[in-house]
Amino acid sequence: MVSLFGWILVLHLLASIAVIGPAIVAPVIRRSARTVGQLLFAFDVTNKLAILPKIGGAVLIITGVWLMIITKTGLSQMWLNLSILLSLLMVATIEGLIGPRMKRIMELVSISQSKGDEIPSELGRLMRKIVPIETASQLLMIAITVLMILKPF
C-alpha cells in the first residue's frame, strides 16, 4: 500500500508537469506562427493552456509545503531554498516581464487581423524581443527541475 507521502509526492510531480509543460510548449507554439491567422490561433491555444500552470502552481505549493512538513525538512536544505528562490524569480519573470509584453502583442495581433494575413514588422520585432525572456524562464524551469530531482546540496 502506498503511503500518504507517496500520494502527495505523485500529486506534487503531476502538478510540476502541469506547470512546466505549457510553459515550455506555449512559446514554441507562438513562435511557429507565420501569419496573423496562425498567430491568433496560437494565442487561443496558449490562452487555453494557461489555466494549467495556475492550478498546477497552487497544487505544487500546497503539496511542497505538505512534503516539507511530513519529512520535517523545513528550509534546512540548500537545494530546496535555491529551488524556491528560482521559482519566485521565474514567476516574477513570467508575470512581470512576459505577461505585459504578451498583452501588448495580443492587442497588436487583433488590430493587425483586419489589415491582412501578413505579420507586421513591428509585431515581429516585439515577438523577437520576448524570446530571450521566455528562454530565460524556460532555463529557470529546467534548473528548478534538476535541483528537485538531483538534490545536489
Side-chain angles (χ1 to χ4, degrees):
M1 180 131 176
V2 179
S3 66
L4 177 63
F5 175 83
W7 284 113
I8 296 170
L9 186 59
V10 166
L11 193 56
H12 190 70
L13 291 170
L14 290 174
S16 70
I17 292 168
V19 170
I20 293 170
I24 295 285
V25 171
V28 174
I29 293 171
R30 283 193 304 268
R31 290 178 203 154
S32 68
R34 298 293 172 242
T35 66
V36 172
Q38 289 175 351
L39 200 51
L40 283 169
F41 179 74
F43 280 134
D44 185 44
V45 170
T46 57
N47 283 339
K48 288 177 182 166
L49 285 174
I51 190 70
L52 289 175
K54 291 175 181 158
I55 294 169
V59 172
L60 201 58
I61 291 168
I62 292 166
T63 57
V65 169
W66 200 350
L67 288 168
M68 288 169 49
I69 291 169
I70 288 174
T71 60
K72 296 178 176 68
T73 304
L75 296 173
S76 64
Q77 297 188 10
M78 184 57 85
W79 66 267
L80 183 57
N81 294 331
L82 187 56
S83 295
I84 292 169
L85 179 67
L86 292 177
S87 296
L88 292 172
L89 183 60
M90 182 186 67
V91 169
T93 302
I94 291 170
E95 295 300 322
L97 297 175
I98 296 173
R101 286 171 172 80
M102 287 309 301
K103 285 181 184 171
R104 175 71 178 131
I105 289 170
M106 288 169 55
E107 289 170 6
L108 287 173
V109 168
S110 62
I111 292 169
S112 299
Q113 184 179 14
S114 62
K115 296 179 182 176
D117 214 28
E118 187 176 324
I119 296 177
S121 61
E122 179 189 0
L123 187 56
R125 183 183 53 78
L126 287 173
M127 289 183 64
R128 283 188 299 279
K129 285 178 91 173
I130 205 169
V131 169
I133 303 168
E134 288 177 327
T135 302
S137 178
Q138 290 169 325
L139 290 172
L140 282 169
M141 281 181 248
I142 292 167
I144 294 162
T145 303
V146 168
L147 283 169
M148 291 288 182
I149 293 170
L150 299 180
K151 301 173 176 75
F153 41 82

